[in-house]
Amino acid sequence: MDDEPERLDALTRQAGRWLALSAAPAERHTTAVVAGPYDRVAWRDVYARSAALRELSAQLLTRHAHAPDLLADVFLCAYQAAPRLRERAVMAPSHLVHHQVVTALTQSPDFAPLHRETAGDAYAAAMAVLAQGSALRGLLERSREARERTGRADRARQEAEAAATAVGEALRQAAEEADAQGEVPAPAAAAVRRAAEAAREAEESARREDGAAAQAMAAAVPGIRSAARNAASAAAEAVRQEAALMRAWGVDAGETERMPFEERARLAERLRSGRLARWAELIGRFRQMAAGERARKVEHATGELVGVTLGDDLSRVIPSELAVLGVPELRAVFAARYAAGELMLYDSRGEQGTGKGAVIACVDTSHSMYAEGPGGITREAWSKACALALLDQARHAGRDFVGILFSAADKLQVFRFPGDRPAPVTDVLDFAETFLGGGTDFQRPLGTAAKILEEEFDSASRARGDIVLITDDACEVSENWTRLWNEIKRRLDFRLFGVAIATPDTATASGSVLETLCDSLRTVDDLTDVHTTADLFRVI
């Protein structure tokens, strides 16, 4: 009976389900985030350039064979402007954990602020991935059973598809052996039945493994969500800190986005680990204060604004008086009040108006500048933060800036930042991080500053520069040097502002060297206060 031939159409109907599986196996994706070619190129490029990403991937591979795919998904959901996840049904079972991880990440409360910093910025997105490294390691450890189960389900599904393919191959062989009436020899028919039975058993096994994997995944979901929230929080904090660090040092987002990956990574590391890294917040506060004082500055008014007075100085007329000129009938009244010296003017006191020449910050870097004040802030940190704010001030006015670091007479270093070109952040860092040590000498740094202003006057006919001397000490200057200093000061019409940091009273007393040299002298006792020298930024 078993050796009797069977008809091909009957065999085909019996194996029809397996034929369908063989002809059109469901597409299974290994990435949870839908990505276009440019997004994939961005990931491959940043992965190739980042040794830290490759190291993290190698660490995760010891826990999870598909770790690179997981990292790619985490990167893409941070990098894409509007990340879109695939349906779970089209995911390979072995990668369902990835889908759950990315889903939990995007639903975390910290994801939105993180995404604002990372969208479209490959470096920031990569940094977000690295910041989540520890959380991802823990997450993979806690989801081990779910991953093992989904891995088995993946293999079982592949075996079921292979068995379905075998059914198709058996039917093809049977069709070749069938005669003209469609009769298939018994051995070929038996092969088809065996293949169909194997496919049925494989399908049942795959269904059981899918169910077990679903249960394991459901049990792992709370842990995955918790770990994902922690990961997103850590990433958001890391990205926020780096963005704040960049802003504190005056590095704008446009500048960093144009930087090559390696250069930006080196810059970020330098900012995090440099000598003044812990004072980034102080530097940022100084710069914000200076920007606020610039906004309060009254152009063409001398010194500090203290109110309104009467007079005929047209450079200080308040806006409401000038508005009268817009009414023809009142112009005669304006002329009469001008002739009588009764126009309302801004009243100010103190220093003359903003200079035109270079802004030069002479910063003391003697050993005593290591000393800490309130809040643990060092005198050096306060001085460098003030100098960097002066750099911003000069750039805002289109003036050259020169930083002169000094200590003993044989120790001096000059940093030039022309006003007609951007200030490279690496050069700014070199200026901020350089510390000479040693004693204190005023003559050489002030003489160097005067020479720079003289060169500027000779080459560009710009006078009225500003020198700011920031020191915590006092020293003697010779009579001959003082005479030469006064002569060049009168000729170039520059100003010298003194900032004495935690100096003894004798150093700033009437008749002292600092009091005699400086046109205006300020004393700073509280290093946590950035407003002590606020008026400087209204007159420089």
Side-chain angles (χ1 to χ4, degrees), residues 71-91:
L71 293 184
D73 276 334
V74 175
F75 170 85
L76 289 170
C77 74
Y79 176 70
Q80 291 182 340
R84 182 165 57 91
L85 304 189
R86 302 185 192 279
E87 295 294 330
R88 287 176 55 86
V90 301
M91 291 292 297

Side-chain angles (χ1 to χ4, degrees), residues 157-170:
R157 181 58 55 192
Q158 291 173 7
E159 290 171 0
E161 291 172 357
T165 301
V167 172
E169 178 61 26

Side-chain angles (χ1 to χ4, degrees), residues 42 74 109 218 232 261 272 301:
V74 175
F261 182 89
R272 284 193 294 267

Side-chain angles (χ1 to χ4, degrees), residues 182-536:
E183 299 287 340
V184 178
V192 172
R193 285 195 295 273
R194 286 194 299 273
E197 181 60 23
R200 183 188 64 78
E201 292 176 357
E203 176 66 17
E204 290 179 355
S205 176
R207 191 179 299 110
R208 288 194 300 271
E209 291 295 348
D210 284 344
Q215 291 180 354
M217 181 63 72
V221 163
I224 291 175
R225 286 177 178 165
S226 176
R229 282 195 297 271
N230 293 336
S233 177
E237 181 61 24
V239 170
R240 274 196 300 268
Q241 286 181 358
E242 180 156 315
L245 197 59
M246 293 287 184
R247 285 192 293 269
W249 282 95
V251 185
D252 60 51
E255 183 178 355
T256 55
E257 288 175 6
R258 292 189 297 270
M259 285 184 183
F261 182 89
E262 299 90 339
E263 181 182 344
R264 185 170 173 183
R266 287 193 299 269
L267 172 61
E269 179 58 29
R270 186 175 179 184
L271 291 178
R272 284 193 294 267
S273 60
R275 290 185 63 250
L276 296 183
R278 60 185 289 213
W279 308 122
E281 190 269 340
L282 173 69
I283 294 169
R285 286 197 293 124
F286 243 111
R287 284 183 144 142
Q288 289 174 1
M289 178 274 292
E293 294 304 318
R294 279 197 299 274
R296 294 177 56 193
K297 182 183 293 187
V298 179
E299 295 298 333
H300 311 301
T302 58
E304 180 183 1
L305 178 65
V306 294
V308 176
T309 188
L310 299 178
D312 60 359
D313 186 351
L314 295 178
S315 68
R316 295 190 289 134
V317 174
I318 67 174
S320 61
E321 287 278 38
L322 293 175
V324 171
L325 294 175
V327 182
E329 294 81 359
L330 296 179
R331 289 174 183 170
V333 176
F334 181 92
R337 293 180 62 189
Y338 171 63
E342 295 179 351
L343 294 176
M344 288 190 290
L345 314 175
Y346 284 118
D347 188 19
S348 60
R349 66 186 178 193
E351 299 86 355
Q352 67 186 75
T354 302
K356 301 298 182 183
V359 177
I360 303 179
C362 296
V363 181
D364 187 350
T365 60
S366 59
H367 282 310
S368 58
M369 295 292 282
Y370 275 128
E372 294 184 357
I377 298 174
T378 65
R379 298 173 184 177
E380 179 204 8
W382 192 96
S383 301
K384 297 288 182 60
C386 183
L388 291 175
L390 287 169
L391 168 60
D392 288 349
Q393 192 80 354
R395 300 204 65 75
H396 186 268
R399 301 168 67 183
D400 292 352
F401 176 83
V402 181
I404 299 178
L405 305 181
F406 71 92
S407 57
D410 61 340
K411 293 185 177 181
L412 181 138
Q413 196 160 344
V414 178
F415 297 83
R416 294 175 181 263
F417 299 92
D420 59 355
R421 69 196 70 166
V425 65
T426 52
D427 293 351
V428 174
L429 286 172
D430 289 340
F431 166 62
E433 293 180 347
T434 299
F435 193 88
L436 303 177
T440 304
D441 173 79
F442 290 165
Q443 292 187 180
R444 189 178 176 201
L446 291 178
T448 301
K451 185 177 180 181
I452 290 171
L453 292 177
E454 185 175 32
E455 291 171 352
E456 182 183 39
F457 178 78
D458 292 341
S459 63
S461 299
R462 285 199 298 268
R464 292 179 58 200
D466 292 310
I467 302 173
V468 181
L469 174 65
I470 308 175
T471 183
D472 70 340
D473 205 350
C475 68
E476 295 301 319
V477 294
S478 70
E479 183 177 341
N480 184 54
W481 182 90
T482 303
R483 179 178 57 78
L484 295 174
W485 168 262
N486 289 332
E487 287 178 0
I488 194 171
K489 189 171 183 295
R490 279 193 300 271
R491 183 161 60 87
L492 300 179
D493 192 25
F494 62 77
R495 300 175 293 182
L496 174 61
F497 299 92
V499 180
I501 304 177
T503 55
D505 291 340
T506 55
T508 56
S510 177
S512 67
V513 172
L514 280 175
E515 200 273 340
T516 301
L517 288 176
C518 298
D519 298 288
S520 175
L521 180 61
R522 293 151 180 80
T523 301
V524 178
D525 295 317
D526 183 1
L527 299 185
T528 63
D529 185 5
V530 301
H531 292 86
T532 310
T533 56
D535 62 311
L536 272 180

